[in-house]
Amino acid sequence: MWTPECWYHDAKNWAQSHKDYMLKMYRINLKLLENHLPGTDEREIHNLLKEYNQSRINAPVDFKKYPELIGMKQLICAEWKGLQDGSGLDEYQTAVYVGAMNFYHRMICSGKMGKMDGSLSSNCSYIYFPYSDHGVLLANNLDSSPDEPFDSPQWPALNEHVIIGSVSSGIYLDEQPEEMFPAPVFKIVARYCRNVKEAVEVLTRYNQFWGPCNAIVVDRNHNCAMIEKSACRIGVRWSKDGFGFITAMTAEEPGMQAYLNDRRQASLKARHLGPDSPDAIYWKKQDQRRQLMNELLDQVRKNPTLETMRKFIQFRDPVRGNVCGNGEIYGPGCPPSEYTIRTVIWLLSEARALWWAKQGDKPSFENPMSEVKFNNVIVWE
């Protein structure tokens, strides 16, 4: 049973063991908001985020449509307090930590306030193999700034049955959802869903509460759904053979691809940018990576091994392009693109993970880390 006491203590215990991570993420999020809210100082951002979070937590909820949210306000308030008490952040810093990304997507990327400037975001990827010479495999690239903190891999399953991996979708001038309440959608999936079909039903019904992002959803029966979504729209593609991938800042489902392209052009027009601008060049590269990953998946599904998964998730080629990045500059006037600061391959049938991490000037793909073994987990077959 979920109780405020349980949510408080779980959050507090997690925050106590992740103080440095939370402080770094607070600073990164504060800098993000300062960059997009020129002329707004730190104190103003603190107050703005505290008020924004209060508006969200007090937003009305239709419990007939969303019965899973009954009692959720008390649980989330307890969780936020646990994060504050465990981390040592004050109430304003905690407000930025828990609310900055939602504020960024809902208020800044929508064009409601601040400035839209630069399209670079995390362009992470996930790949799923339902079988291989080492059983079931899941891989992920964490693509971001070298300043973003990360830890060693954790077991990726939401519950005994379902895994969800999510990445950025990068939609500017997005539509505004009617729902504001900070529903913890993935936690709801973890509590109530036992397969991908059930998970997709919840994710679709709660469409306006989460995202924008792209996500891969898999279950123990190797059903695989690939989701691309904005704040208010959702496109779902189903794998025919269990193999699948998702990558960021691009879309393949026809409806979402059309919407993404429309928003891109509207964003360029609003900022008086042309087809040779850094943003337009960047978006083209993201679409090319998606196509490259389709080609690579067609190749590796013929011989799905741990080694072919490694080559896929860390693929780099000067002609075909990269799945794994290292701050490449895509064209004149473009800033460095993202770095793959961490790569993980989970061997889900063997309860262990292989991983690589960027350290200083040494790229992640040249820096393998010590294998991680997981105890007290249920392996996938």
Side-chain angles (χ1 to χ4, degrees), residues 152-365:
S152 59
Q154 303 298 307
W155 188 245
L158 285 180
N159 56 28
E160 301 91 334
H161 312 278
V162 176
I163 292 173
I164 298 180
S166 63
V167 302
S168 302
S169 63
I171 299 176
Y172 276 145
L173 294 180
D174 202 357
E175 298 159 319
Q176 282 291 297
E178 297 178 0
E179 305 291 354
M180 280 191 66
F181 185 79
V185 178
F186 287 3
K187 284 189 175 183
I188 292 170
V189 170
R191 185 179 191 188
Y192 295 104
C193 300
R194 298 299 176 264
N195 55 56
V196 171
K197 182 178 179 181
E198 292 176 355
V200 169
E201 185 280 324
V202 170
L203 294 172
T204 302
R205 181 160 49 91
Y206 277 81
N207 175 40
Q208 293 203 15
F209 290 91
W210 67 289
C213 68
N214 297 336
I216 189 167
V217 190
V218 296
D219 64 28
R220 285 183 171 274
N221 293 321
H222 309 304
N223 299 301
C224 175
M226 294 158 284
I227 296 174
E228 294 151 349
K229 81 176 298 295
S230 65
C232 301
R233 305 184 186 209
I234 184 168
V236 181
R237 296 179 292 119
W238 293 88
S239 170
K240 296 179 180 179
D241 57 6
F243 290 86
F245 76 88
I246 202 76
T247 194
M249 311 299 286
T250 185
E252 186 157 328
E253 193 275 333
M256 288 306 302
Q257 186 179 94
Y259 180 68
L260 175 62
N261 289 336
D262 176 78
R263 295 296 82 199
R264 286 174 173 177
Q265 294 306 310
S267 170
L268 293 177
K269 183 177 180 180
R271 292 179 289 156
H272 308 288
L273 300 176
D276 296 325
S277 65
D279 282 23
I281 294 171
Y282 176 81
W283 291 330
K284 184 177 181 180
K285 286 291 185 180
Q286 310 321 300
D287 293 340
Q288 290 172 346
R289 185 181 64 257
R290 172 175 51 81
Q291 183 55 43
L292 170 64
M293 293 183 73
N294 274 314
E295 296 169 2
L296 293 173
L297 186 62
D298 286 341
Q299 295 171 14
V300 301
R301 61 169 30 111
K302 301 172 185 176
N303 181 32
T305 68
L306 176 59
E307 178 60 13
T308 56
M309 175 64 93
R310 185 198 65 76
K311 290 181 177 179
F312 187 173
I313 195 67
Q314 293 186 324
F315 186 87
R316 293 174 55 80
D317 185 272
V319 177
R320 298 182 68 186
N322 303 326
V323 175
C324 180
N326 192 39
E328 286 77 18
I329 296 176
Y330 292 144
C334 294
S337 59
E338 297 86 352
Y339 294 80
T340 297
I341 58 176
R342 188 186 70 178
T343 294
V344 183
I345 302 177
W346 288 276
L347 291 78
L348 298 175
S349 302
E350 300 178 4
R352 61 192 182 100
L354 307 179
W355 66 299
W356 296 255
K358 177 177 171 56
Q359 290 185 322
D361 293 332
K362 194 170 187 178
S364 59
F365 47 86

